[in-house]
Amino acid sequence: LYQEPRDILMQALAVYNTSPNQGKNAFDIGAGAGNETAYLLQHGWNVWTNDREAESINIIANRKDVVPYKDNLTLIQKSFTDIPWDTLPSFNLICAIYALPFLDKNSFYTTWNAIIKHTEKDGILAVSLFGPQHGVFGWWEARGMSFFTKKEVLDLFKDFDIKVFDELLKKNDENVMEHVFTIIAQKK
């Protein structure tokens, strides 16, 4: 709580600052404690924030660094598959940081297509996805999640100009393999 936003957001904003698309509508998907949401609000963005957990939405709504900006905040407590996309505008920035892999593949693609549809031309998409060697989760958890090869990740971004593509493949402090793709891309 009350941490700095993740580096992926700062990198995405650096790309946004060079973009011809200067609208300021952002969607923070799977916002957790709302660190990215708070930062965006403080920097003049209109933010739609989603998390399925009521506790997360409550934390975000009552953060001292969010309350002054409530007029620019829309909170959506829904699972990713239940987001009311047809009621939402298009976005200049969509962040889905450590969120989308928690969907099974079918639900992932349905949500992904909605994200693509709601990203403005020249809009920025900042996403983290898990690779097939990501061993942090047991088989029971992993069976309802999405994991992607590098080729599959690149295919997801075929309608985008990829600005940042990082692949982390290393053992963590507990000697468990982490395999994470971090992508920042601009819609063509």
Side-chain angles (χ1 to χ4, degrees), residues 58-106:
N58 189 47
I59 287 169
I60 295 166
N62 293 297
R63 285 178 61 137
K64 291 180 185 88
D65 55 351
V66 167
V67 169
Y69 306 97
K70 273 194 168 179
D71 290 347
N72 296 336
L73 176 63
T74 302
L75 297 168
I76 304 168
Q77 184 199 338
K78 301 269 186 198
S79 68
F80 304 144
T81 55
D82 294 329
I83 292 171
W85 289 101
D86 57 334
T87 68
L88 300 178
S90 293
F91 297 99
N92 311 99
L93 172 66
I94 297 179
C95 293
I97 305 169
Y98 293 103
L100 299 176
F102 294 97
L103 292 168
D104 64 68
K105 279 271 177 111
N106 287 337

Side-chain angles (χ1 to χ4, degrees), residues 84-149:
W85 289 101
D86 57 334
T87 68
L88 300 178
S90 293
F91 297 99
N92 311 99
L93 172 66
I94 297 179
C95 293
I97 305 169
Y98 293 103
L100 299 176
F102 294 97
L103 292 168
D104 64 68
K105 279 271 177 111
N106 287 337
S107 297
F108 172 88
Y109 284 111
T110 300
T111 302
W112 183 256
N113 289 334
I115 288 170
I116 300 305
K117 182 179 174 185
H118 281 79
T119 304
E120 288 272 348
K121 181 182 181 333
D122 294 317
I124 308 300
L125 190 51
V127 176
S128 52
L129 299 170
F130 296 152
Q133 295 180 58
H134 195 69
V136 173
F137 302 97
W139 70 269
W140 186 258
E141 296 165 301
R143 67 192 178 105
M145 296 173 63
S146 296
F147 300 87
F148 298 91
T149 65

Side-chain angles (χ1 to χ4, degrees), residues 23-27 45-48 89-94:
K24 284 199 158 188
N25 284 342
F27 195 3
W45 288 78
N46 297 307
V47 182
W48 284 254
S90 293
F91 297 99
N92 311 99
L93 172 66
I94 297 179

